[in-house]
Amino acid sequence: MGMTQVPLAETASGYRHEAFLYSGTAEFRTGTMPFIRRAIDAGDPILVVVSKAKIDLLRRELQADAERVHFADMADVGDNPARIIAAWRAFVQAYAGAAQLWGIGEPIYPERSPTEMAECHLHEALLNVAFDASTPFWLLCPYDLEALAADIIDEAQRTHPFVAGDGERRQCGTFQPIDIADPFARPVPRRPADAAHMSFETGGLRRVRAFVAEQAERAGLEQEPAAAMVLAVNEIATNSLRHGGGQGELRVWKDERSVVCEVSDQGHITAPLAGRLPPVLSAGDGGGLWLANQLCDLVQIYSSPDGTAIRVYQDL
């Protein structure tokens, strides 16, 4: 695979983003426990964001030492994968000045839909630019070889500079850094031919809100997620008017599990962490995508010099 072995005793010496390839629960335990113990023995902060079942497993293994580990359920933190980087940033900022920080995060698991999986891969790629290289943070991302398809494992080796498994830690020769000048340049999946459609321009946001509310109700979306979707689309459409040429297109449809709204315009989003970090109020901008990610089950950005399409999903 074009990998070079790295000694097990190597320290992170800055930010290290590593995929951990394991097979089944036993290997998960034997692969993560030395990592956690190393943090505990050094008195370093560690945050573990995995499933509730795995949290319970690790707590039983650690016994009293479990109190020295921060745990969070990935179903709460990263149901929408675009929320995860903010959680890691908050952890790192909370312990600014620490000699070493440690993290374990497993955003990719078999229950994810293909759409969610695509966003998880993008999240993993963006993690490589989410922290300064000098940040003393070692982040381990487990991938279950027994439960995940081969193409998902291949992608993990493209989005992680390092790979661990079989008792070895190796640099990954198949790692492909994301293009930070064009992080969302990917083909827009086909829209249904019968998607409800409207155009909007300055002064038309009331029509946008009414249109989304009507389509969400028609699709059977419950009142609270429907209201959240209306607010999210309003924020994204506002961005279209400000930065996307003063006009945009809105499409709404229903797939097997969600109501989907797509806002497209002539803008170009180049900030790799757009929508993934809380907005800085003094900057006066950037809050719309962040809010959409907090309100909706999934948000997808497709953007290139030819234009931008943003899709928001609410599960039925």
Side-chain angles (χ1 to χ4, degrees):
M1 293 185 188
M3 299 178 187
T4 307
Q5 184 173 342
V6 176
L8 276 170
E10 182 184 335
T11 58
S13 64
Y15 179 45
R16 182 182 177 105
H17 183 210
E18 183 173 83
F20 165 46
L21 309 182
Y22 70 95
S23 295
T25 303
E27 280 194 16
F28 173 85
R29 184 177 63 249
T30 57
T32 55
M33 282 301 300
F35 188 88
I36 296 170
R37 285 285 180 198
R38 189 167 170 181
I40 291 173
D41 291 347
D44 295 331
I46 179 168
L47 172 60
V48 178
V49 189
V50 293
S51 68
K52 185 179 184 303
K54 284 176 175 158
I55 291 172
D56 293 343
L57 168 76
L58 294 172
R59 284 188 180 278
R60 287 194 301 271
E61 196 79 12
L62 289 164
Q63 299 183 2
D65 282 340
E67 298 305 313
R68 301 171 65 183
V69 178
H70 300 283
F71 289 101
D73 188 343
M74 183 58 79
D76 296 330
V77 173
D79 186 40
N80 176 348
R83 300 176 191 155
I84 303 172
I85 284 176
W88 288 124
R89 287 280 285 258
F91 168 67
V92 169
Q93 290 167 3
Y95 292 98
Q100 182 65 49
L101 300 167
W102 307 79
I104 298 176
E106 188 167 23
I108 292 186
Y109 41 84
E111 294 78 14
R112 292 282 199 188
S113 71
T115 309
E116 289 173 339
M117 201 68 82
E119 295 314 293
C120 286
H121 290 313
L122 176 62
H123 156 73
E124 291 278 39
L126 291 172
L127 269 171
N128 297 308
V129 299
F131 297 94
D132 187 272
S134 64
T135 304
F137 179 35
W138 191 331
L139 177 58
L140 191 71
C141 303
Y143 283 76
D144 189 346
L145 296 169
E146 286 186 359
L148 298 171
D151 62 321
I152 293 173
I153 303 302
D154 289 344
E155 188 64 24
Q157 296 183 82
R158 285 189 285 271
T159 58
H160 292 78
F162 297 91
V163 177
D166 297 326
E168 297 179 331
R169 303 203 122 85
R170 299 164 288 184
Q171 282 186 324
C172 186
T174 54
F175 170 60
Q176 296 176 1
I178 195 166
D179 181 357
I180 59 170
D182 227 359
F184 306 109
R186 48 184 179 163
V188 182
R190 183 175 298 177
R191 310 170 179 98
D194 59 350
H197 170 261
M198 68 167 282
S199 302
F200 62 92
E201 53 190 21
T202 302
L205 288 174
R206 181 178 293 182
R207 287 178 54 241
V208 165
R209 294 191 296 270
F211 186 78
V212 174
E214 178 188 351
Q215 295 299 322
E217 182 179 5
R218 186 175 296 176
L221 193 60
E222 293 185 3
Q223 187 172 354
E224 187 173 339
M229 178 169 255
V230 169
L231 180 53
V233 173
N234 181 77
E235 291 293 318
I236 294 167
T238 298
N239 286 346
S240 292
L241 297 178
R242 289 177 179 168
H243 310 293
Q247 58 186 9
E249 305 288 326
L250 171 62
R251 293 175 175 85
V252 185
W253 66 89
K254 178 180 174 181
D255 64 18
E256 314 86 61
R257 55 184 287 172
S258 308
V259 177
V260 187
C261 292
E262 179 190 278
V263 178
S264 55
D265 58 47
Q266 294 305 304
H268 185 198
I269 298 173
T270 57
L273 300 182
R276 284 169 164 76
L277 299 177
V280 179
L281 294 179
S282 60
D285 195 18
L289 275 172
W290 165 262
L291 186 60
N293 272 315
Q294 307 316 302
L295 292 170
C296 296
D297 292 312
L298 200 69
V299 177
Q300 293 185 300
I301 304 172
Y302 301 90
S303 190
S304 74
D306 295 327
T308 291
I310 297 175
R311 293 183 179 180
V312 299
Y313 296 72
Q314 290 290 52
D315 294 341
L316 290 161

